[in-house]
Amino acid sequence: MKYQQIDNQLFIKNRKKFTAEMKPKSIAVFNSNDIYPISADSTLPFQQHRDIFYLSGIDQEESILVLFPDALDQKHKEVLFVRETNEHIAVWEGEKLTKEKATAISGVATIYWLSDFDKIFFGLMTAADTIYFNTNEHYRQAVETETREDRFIKDCKLKFPAHQWAKSNPILQQIRGVKEPEEIEQIQKACNITEKGFRRILEFVKPGVWEYEIEAEYIHEFIKNRSKGFAYTPIIASGNNANVLHYILNNQQCKDGDLLLMDVAAEYANYSSDMTRTIPVNGKFTPRQKAVYEAVLRVKKEATKLLVPGTLWEAYNVEVGKIMTSELLGLGLLDKAAIQNQSKEWPAYKKYFMHGTSHHLGLDTHDYGALKTPMKEHMVFTVEPGIYIPEEKIGIRLEDNVVIQKSGEPINLMKNIPIEVEEIEDLMSNKNKK
Ligand code: GLY
Ligand code: MN
Ligand code: MN
């Protein structure tokens, strides 16, 4: 791993929070992700499943975490299975976890080799009544691939049909939504790396550069700073590409007079940051671009103030809609008649701002987190309003990452990433002086 090891106290705390919610005589199992194939013998780089990482810090394929708080044998209350290494693996793949290293990373005392899983797990299951399965119930999930977890669940249902089944996901959604200080520290590191990337490209962008050249500048800076790379597929969208919300081709040339929207951020230690900045390709906003930009920035600032303990998700989105509506009236994009005729389901502002304002952020970019209950201290959210006007070749989104505080405004983890018009213009003009 390129990142510095996280203190295992985090994973010990996380397991405590999970097991506190388990039923009596129950067992919970968490699997690593597969290494996904491309074709022939090619594979995608390994990405650990975020739940086993959250509960153990183990960042290696073919690992299994078993939690059994009521186990009769103390050493079986938490057990990790890892792939046994050998000389062949050492030569071809390099260092893998030893049992000692797995304990040091996770704080789990009992480590077995994966080859012993079936026998040991059978013994544990005979003393359990319920098994918690880790199904994917994320509100945006649309996964067609059968995961390692899916295969485990199928197999387990066949082998242990008399056990009761329970769901891990609702527990994880609750506990992963509220971040520990060690987690906020990792997200802050990811934001700091993202800042380095953004400052680098402010020096680089000028009319004639290609979107993919900008992408290359970011990845250089990210990896140089111990990130594995992009937290999500980057959007580097000049001109009207910014009006395609999920534009990821990044293959066009940036033109004088156009804006450049970049939704690009680094991961660090599997934690995401999630930034969007919009800058003028030639370093200077036109008066109209600046007016729309300032409107988006005001919405972002006002929306951020609403992220306090007790706020309800739906009410938050309604409020931000009202703030956006007033800005769109100011820009002459909406008129009073449009507002009068709007429906509750599709308010008029959605013509220019058609996506959500915020999402939870953490180990997943669109992270787990409660959305039906009031917001809590130490939840981490993005704030990302935008205004999209294809007919004017303007698409502007601004996105920061904030942590809800017990009282007062949230802390902005991206407060050092330039966002004010003057600052962006100054930094972009500096490069011409060099
Ligand atoms: N970059 C993904 C998002 O902003 O939600
Ligand atoms: Mn984003
Ligand atoms: Mn986002």
Side-chain angles (χ1 to χ4, degrees):
M1 303 312 145
K2 298 185 180 80
Y3 59 85
Q4 279 155 333
Q5 209 55 62
I6 302 173
D7 188 333
N8 66 20
Q9 285 307 313
L10 170 64
F11 310 117
I12 293 169
K13 276 189 278 184
N14 291 347
R15 287 196 296 278
K16 259 200 192 124
K17 284 189 274 187
F18 187 91
T19 52
E21 301 299 321
M22 290 172 71
K23 296 177 186 175
K25 290 188 81 181
S26 66
I27 208 164
V29 181
F30 303 90
N31 279 275
S32 280
N33 271 331
D34 282 317
I35 297 177
Y36 290 100
I38 299 175
S39 57
D41 65 347
S42 308
T43 55
L44 295 171
F46 175 64
Q47 281 276 355
Q48 181 58 296
H49 193 290
R50 300 310 194 237
D51 292 329
I52 187 171
F53 185 81
Y54 176 79
L55 294 166
S56 71
I58 294 296
D59 204 348
Q60 183 169 288
E61 70 285 357
E62 297 184 39
S63 307
I64 305 178
L65 172 69
V66 178
L67 301 178
F68 188 11
D70 294 339
L72 297 174
D73 189 342
Q74 177 70 25
K75 74 172 191 292
H76 285 155
K77 288 181 186 291
E78 344 182 283
V79 185
L80 254 172
F81 294 84
V82 296
R83 184 183 172 203
E84 184 171 13
T85 191
N86 57 37
E87 273 180 30
H88 177 84
I89 293 173
V91 169
W92 286 83
E93 298 179 38
E95 192 190 344
K96 295 281 166 189
L97 291 175
T98 59
K99 289 186 179 180
E100 294 71 28
K101 189 95 194 280
T103 293
I105 290 170
S106 64
V108 174
T110 308
I111 315 286
Y112 292 116
W113 296 129
L114 185 64
S115 47
D116 293 326
F117 179 80
D118 285 346
K119 194 166 105 259
I120 293 168
F121 185 63
F122 181 83
L124 299 179
M125 281 294 271
T126 56
D129 291 340
T130 303
I131 175 155
Y132 280 81
F133 289 135
N134 193 23
T135 47
N136 184 352
E137 296 186 13
H138 190 270
Y139 68 114
R140 294 188 188 209
Q141 75 83 27
V143 181
E144 291 192 19
T145 314
E146 186 174 71
T147 64
R148 201 171 177 83
E149 198 72 70
D150 295 333
R151 294 200 303 278
F152 169 78
I153 293 169
K154 255 193 202 168
D155 189 51
C156 203
K157 283 181 174 176
L158 282 176
K159 283 186 183 149
F160 303 99
H163 280 69
Q164 286 161 35
W165 304 331
K167 302 198 294 184
S168 295
N169 192 262
I171 303 175
L172 289 162
Q173 293 272 358
Q174 287 296 328
I175 63 176
R176 272 185 53 182
V178 178
K179 272 60 179 180
E180 291 291 338
E182 296 91 333
E183 297 190 276
I184 294 171
E185 199 184 313
Q186 308 312 316
I187 302 171
Q188 180 69 73
K189 283 185 189 167
C191 291
N192 296 348
I193 298 171
T194 300
E195 177 188 350
K196 289 186 185 201
F198 181 60
R199 288 188 183 274
R200 183 182 175 104
I201 70 88
L202 284 178
E203 304 239 322
F204 177 78
V205 170
K206 59 181 183 205
V209 299
W210 291 78
E211 292 164 352
Y212 53 76
E213 292 182 282
I214 298 166
E215 183 175 336
E217 295 293 313
Y218 275 109
I219 198 72
H220 176 99
E221 201 63 34
F222 290 178
I223 294 177
K224 199 172 130 187
N225 285 282
R226 290 180 174 268
S227 164
K228 180 159 70 197
F230 296 113
Y232 48 88
T233 310
I235 296 169
I236 303 187
S238 61
N240 249 338
N241 297 334
N243 290 309
V244 179
L245 293 181
H246 292 161
Y247 174 81
I248 52 169
L249 287 174
N250 306 346
N251 64 1
Q252 296 300 303
Q253 199 169 24
C254 302
K255 298 197 179 64
D256 197 3
D258 278 357
L259 290 171
L260 171 67
L261 182 156
M262 295 167 293
D263 189 341
V264 181
E267 73 81 56
Y268 180 78
N270 291 325
Y271 282 85
S272 287
S273 58
D274 187 2
M275 176 197 78
T276 310
R277 289 292 184 269
T278 308
I279 63 171
V281 168
N282 63 15
K284 186 110 185 91
F285 290 92
T286 66
R288 177 62 172 171
Q289 288 169 346
K290 182 173 167 178
V292 180
Y293 187 99
E294 301 276 20
V296 176
L297 188 53
R298 278 192 296 271
V299 176
K300 190 187 79 68
K301 287 178 181 170
E302 291 305 311
T304 302
K305 291 182 195 160
L306 302 173
L307 294 171
V308 294
T311 295
L312 283 166
W313 184 253
E314 267 184 40
Y316 167 70
N317 283 306
V318 170
E319 260 335 284
V320 177
K322 286 183 196 161
I323 300 165
M324 180 58 90
T325 302
S326 130
E327 291 293 348
L328 292 173
L329 281 165
L331 290 167
L333 291 165
L334 293 182
D335 57 22
K336 293 232 164 80
I339 313 288
Q340 271 156 12
N341 294 332
Q342 73 184 1
S343 71
K344 213 173 156 204
E345 294 67 41
W346 196 256
Y349 78 81
K350 289 209 180 226
K351 177 172 178 202
Y352 297 102
F353 173 41
M354 59 298 277
H355 57 76
T357 310
S358 294
H359 54 79
H360 286 272
L361 178 79
L363 282 168
D364 287 290
T365 303
H366 295 155
D367 206 31
Y368 289 179
L371 294 174
K372 301 278 181 213
T373 47
M375 293 180 188
K376 291 183 181 161
E377 181 187 7
H378 294 164
M379 284 183 164
V380 178
F381 282 103
T382 64
V383 192
E384 49 180 306
I387 295 179
Y388 307 92
I389 325 167
E391 55 279 18
E392 296 188 42
K393 222 182 177 190
I394 289 178
I396 296 174
R397 177 163 70 256
L398 298 170
E399 176 174 24
D400 277 346
N401 305 156
V402 306
V403 189
I404 294 192
Q405 300 300 297
K406 191 168 183 182
S407 60
E409 278 193 42
I411 286 180
N412 187 350
L413 302 176
M414 293 190 155
K415 64 178 185 304
N416 295 329
I417 307 186
I419 197 163
E420 297 293 333
V421 163
E422 297 70 28
E423 204 182 356
I424 302 270
E425 290 186 340
D426 268 5
L427 287 164
M428 291 189 79
S429 69
N430 279 346
K431 75 171 172 234
N432 299 324
K433 292 184 199 136
K434 279 187 183 163

